[in-house]
Amino acid sequence: MDSPTESTSYMLAEDALSSFNISEGQHPDPPKKINPLWDLLFGSVAGMNGKFIEYPFDTVKVRMQTMDSKVFNGTVDCLKQTWVNEGFSGFYRGLLSPLLGAMVENALIFFSYKKIQSLVSYSTGADPKKPLSIFQLSMCGGVSGAICSVVLTPVELVKCKLQVENVQSYGKGAEAAAASKFNGPLSVVKSIMKTDGLAGLYKGFGPTLVRESIGTMLWFGTYEIACHMYLQRKSSELHKMHGVHHSLTKEDVGPLMLILAGGSAGVAYNFGIFPVDVIKSRVQTADIISGGATSKPSVLEISRSVYRSGGIPSFYRGLGVTLLRAFPANAAMFLTYEYLTRFATKI
């Protein structure tokens, strides 16, 4: 019996060869460029798909990040308590804001990623028909992430507050649960605007900027590396089979490899920036966790507090469930985006 590695390689080879339609001696035309507005649309659809998949896991992640072991002694306990106290809907509490945010964020990320690539090609005098280097693509991803942090910070703020607020009422009965301060995203926004004004919506912007810059660099970088290595290997295999060099493009990557590349990108993103994400979540929910105290701890104070609560492992509370949801959610996003793009180039 083949080993798991051999089986996977065989599946990828079959997946790849079935997607190639290149005669000997022919080279594929360079990928057609589509209207940038399609990037906005396809990115938003991809973001919506990914958010639906990941949101229940994200709720558990945020609650693990913001609550210490006195509230939840592990991921399983968090899942159990959420189910007992809130039922299935508890895992989707506050979905509307991040769902809309994910659509806007991913639309902007993919749009800006492509635009920044064009800008880099133009400014360096590179051939626009040739892809940039992996390093350049990663940097383009980092810049697009930084741009998106402007949109994402208010969305994350509203989401985290809604995800965490109900936990305060656990074990206090139905009356305490009914007395929740927020009944939806709009009520959170109104409360923030009333107490802190417009600037209050950008609470946690610093950690979000760092998270998105580094994380999106890892996200696109990992995805591009996986696709690049795959295409190099397939090109070599096709050369051995036909004796002719074939210049392959990303459109020659089959669905299975897109799933593996997209899922791996999601894992790299979340693993690489998780401690920053913990700090970001704590900053944005500090008022709720403290029971409404008006003090606004700094990033440094929160970092010290997290460390005192359990050392380095405290910065990784909720990592397991985060990586569990990262693979399918990001695989779905990249697969959706790539195939919508391919469909657009054909019509």
Side-chain angles (χ1 to χ4, degrees), residues 170-311:
Y170 284 7
K172 298 180 181 179
E175 291 185 4
S180 296
K181 181 180 179 181
F182 307 125
N183 55 27
L186 188 58
S187 66
V188 178
V189 173
K190 287 181 177 179
S191 176
I192 294 172
M193 291 292 290
K194 182 178 180 180
T195 56
D196 298 311
L198 183 62
L201 293 174
Y202 281 87
K203 184 178 183 181
F205 174 69
T208 303
L209 175 62
V210 173
R211 187 192 72 174
E212 291 304 302
S213 300
I214 297 174
T216 310
M217 179 181 69
L218 292 172
W219 195 55
F220 278 119
T222 301
Y223 180 74
E224 298 290 356
I225 288 172
C227 290
H228 178 72
M229 292 177 65
Y230 172 76
L231 290 173
Q232 278 191 324
R233 190 176 82 248
K234 291 300 108 183
S235 180
S236 177
E237 291 179 4
L238 288 170
H239 178 68
K240 291 178 182 178
M241 291 171 60
H242 302 292
V244 178
H245 177 70
H246 297 287
S247 298
L248 307 179
T249 69
K250 199 176 289 182
E251 289 191 358
D252 297 307
V253 180
L256 180 57
M257 188 59 210
L258 288 175
I259 289 172
L260 291 175
S264 298
V267 170
Y269 170 95
N270 285 279
F271 185 81
I273 51 80
F274 201 79
V276 179
D277 192 47
V278 169
I279 295 170
K280 189 273 311 176
S281 295
R282 293 276 185 133
V283 168
Q284 293 185 322
T285 60
D287 55 334
I288 294 177
I289 303 304
S290 63
T294 57
S295 62
K296 299 178 181 179
S298 66
V299 169
L300 181 59
E301 290 172 333
I302 285 179
S303 300
R304 289 173 175 171
S305 175
V306 173
Y307 184 79
R308 285 196 298 268
S309 69

Side-chain angles (χ1 to χ4, degrees), residues 77 139 148 159 202 244 248 262 337:
D77 183 48
M139 292 300 103
C148 289
K159 172 185 74 74
Y202 281 87
V244 178
L248 307 179
Y337 178 80

Side-chain angles (χ1 to χ4, degrees), residues 46-334:
M48 180 181 66
N49 286 348
K51 186 57 66 177
F52 268 119
I53 294 172
E54 76 170 11
Y55 197 76
F57 301 98
D58 186 67
T59 296
V60 174
K61 179 208 74 170
V62 171
R63 290 179 175 184
M64 289 290 291
Q65 287 178 331
T66 55
M67 303 292 172
D68 57 30
S69 57
K70 295 179 182 178
V71 181
F72 303 122
N73 57 31
T75 300
V76 174
D77 183 48
C78 183
L79 286 165
K80 181 180 178 181
Q81 287 201 51
T82 299
W83 177 264
V84 170
N85 288 279
E86 300 179 68
F88 180 76
S89 63
F91 294 102
Y92 280 93
R93 178 171 168 78
L95 173 63
L96 180 59
S97 171
L99 181 61
L100 296 175
M103 294 174 69
V104 174
E105 176 200 3
N106 282 276
L108 187 56
I109 275 186
F110 283 106
F111 175 81
S112 59
Y113 182 55
K114 292 291 183 68
K115 280 297 184 182
I116 294 167
Q117 287 182 54
S118 298
L119 181 61
V120 171
S121 294
Y122 176 78
S123 62
T124 59
D127 185 349
K129 295 181 180 180
K130 293 183 179 180
L132 301 175
S133 69
I134 297 297
F135 176 77
Q136 288 174 317
L137 291 172
S138 298
M139 292 300 103
C140 290
V143 174
S144 67
I147 293 171
C148 289
S149 64
V150 177
V151 174
L152 193 59
T153 300
V155 173
E156 287 274 308
L157 178 64
V158 173
K159 172 185 74 74
C160 288
K161 286 183 180 296
L162 286 171
Q163 286 175 321
V164 168
E165 188 200 23
N166 270 17
V167 178
Q168 302 295 88
S169 66
Y170 284 7
K172 298 180 181 179
E175 291 185 4
S180 296
K181 181 180 179 181
F182 307 125
N183 55 27
L186 188 58
S187 66
V188 178
V189 173
K190 287 181 177 179
S191 176
I192 294 172
M193 291 292 290
K194 182 178 180 180
T195 56
D196 298 311
L198 183 62
L201 293 174
Y202 281 87
K203 184 178 183 181
F205 174 69
T208 303
L209 175 62
V210 173
R211 187 192 72 174
E212 291 304 302
S213 300
I214 297 174
T216 310
M217 179 181 69
L218 292 172
W219 195 55
F220 278 119
T222 301
Y223 180 74
E224 298 290 356
I225 288 172
C227 290
H228 178 72
M229 292 177 65
Y230 172 76
L231 290 173
Q232 278 191 324
R233 190 176 82 248
K234 291 300 108 183
S235 180
S236 177
E237 291 179 4
L238 288 170
H239 178 68
K240 291 178 182 178
M241 291 171 60
H242 302 292
V244 178
H245 177 70
H246 297 287
S247 298
L248 307 179
T249 69
K250 199 176 289 182
E251 289 191 358
D252 297 307
V253 180
L256 180 57
M257 188 59 210
L258 288 175
I259 289 172
L260 291 175
S264 298
V267 170
Y269 170 95
N270 285 279
F271 185 81
I273 51 80
F274 201 79
V276 179
D277 192 47
V278 169
I279 295 170
K280 189 273 311 176
S281 295
R282 293 276 185 133
V283 168
Q284 293 185 322
T285 60
D287 55 334
I288 294 177
I289 303 304
S290 63
T294 57
S295 62
K296 299 178 181 179
S298 66
V299 169
L300 181 59
E301 290 172 333
I302 285 179
S303 300
R304 289 173 175 171
S305 175
V306 173
Y307 184 79
R308 285 196 298 268
S309 69
I312 297 298
S314 296
F315 289 96
Y316 289 91
R317 276 179 61 82
L319 176 62
V321 71
T322 300
L323 297 183
L324 183 64
R325 57 92 166 168
F327 193 96
N330 287 274
M333 279 194 283
F334 276 105

